[in-house]
Amino acid sequence: MTGCETAVLREMRWWDIDSVLELERDLFPEDAWSRGMFWSELAHARGPGATRRYYVAEEDGRLVGYAGLTTSGAESDEGGPAACADIQTIAVTRDHWGTGLGSRLLTELLHAATAFECTEVMLECRVDNVRAQKLYERFGFEIIGVRPGYYQPGNVDALVMRLTDPSTSVNPGNPGNAVQGTETHG
């Protein structure tokens, strides 16, 4: 049994960065994030003013996935909810593709967006990553545009996808959300 059933999800911490970078470079060799990018994201993931949430998935002491999102801010100047969250990344080891782990990570991100009181969630997805597109569509994301040449240096277009009201799109008990695992830079 692997992936969805046995992987443990928890908050990403600084000591996870080396393992995350290893997976990042394996899955995204052309446009992998740097160590500094992950440090910067995690610097905004804790405390009362946090605007990020990052998670890792571990199985038998090995990192097998990670995911993260950012918000436009935890509160507006008027004290109201943040308008939007952006999924920054979701990645799952190749041996965990098709296990539902990507779905679990996405579910955690949508719960975080709901906790931040976001009214919508955005992401970018490579046009050639059909596996990720299907995952996002199963959760209710819709394509709203294209960003030409977004992924560099490969000059690959990105689909811009949006989910309105993330609080209603996730029902962990719903078998319809048992989507196959995936990897993508959101």
Side-chain angles (χ1 to χ4, degrees):
M1 215 187 277
T2 63
C4 193
E5 297 87 10
T6 60
V8 175
L9 302 187
R10 64 171 175 78
E11 182 182 358
M12 184 188 294
R13 300 299 302 271
W14 65 267
W15 53 81
D16 296 311
I17 291 177
D18 286 340
S19 297
V20 167
L21 281 173
E22 188 176 318
L23 180 54
E24 176 82 4
R25 290 175 184 143
D26 176 51
L27 295 175
F28 313 111
E30 287 187 354
D31 55 355
W33 283 20
S34 69
R35 179 180 312 278
M37 290 171 76
F38 282 107
W39 272 102
S40 178
E41 289 297 294
L42 291 182
H44 299 282
R46 298 181 63 81
T51 57
R52 312 302 198 263
R53 285 292 180 271
Y54 278 79
Y55 300 98
V56 293
E58 288 183 318
E59 185 178 69
D60 298 325
R62 178 174 79 112
L63 188 128
V64 294
Y66 60 91
L69 95 161
T70 183
T71 66
S72 57
E75 291 186 336
S76 70
D77 291 340
E78 297 79 34
C84 188
D86 284 291
I87 292 179
Q88 299 296 298
T89 187
I90 297 179
V92 174
T93 58
R94 296 178 204 285
D95 62 329
H96 282 71
W97 288 0
T99 66
L101 184 55
S103 179
R104 281 187 60 204
L105 286 163
L106 180 55
T107 297
E108 284 300 310
L109 294 180
L110 296 178
H111 285 307
T114 299
F116 277 122
E117 299 181 1
C118 295
T119 57
E120 66 180 9
V121 179
M122 305 286 290
L123 61 84
E124 288 86 18
C125 180
R126 291 175 63 105
V127 295
D128 58 0
N129 193 341
V130 177
R131 170 186 232 100
Q133 292 168 38
K134 288 181 180 182
L135 171 70
Y136 298 136
E137 288 169 357
R138 292 277 303 269
F139 275 77
F141 283 85
E142 297 176 335
I143 298 169
I144 61 168
V146 176
R147 292 195 174 154
Y150 183 78
Y151 292 98
Q152 294 297 328
N155 201 36
V156 177
D157 295 349
L159 297 175
V160 179
M161 302 180 81
R162 177 179 60 206
L163 173 69
T164 55
D165 197 3
S167 67
T168 62
S169 70
V170 177
N171 180 354
N174 179 355
N177 279 351
V179 182
Q180 298 302 299
T182 187
E183 53 79 24
T184 184
H185 266 297

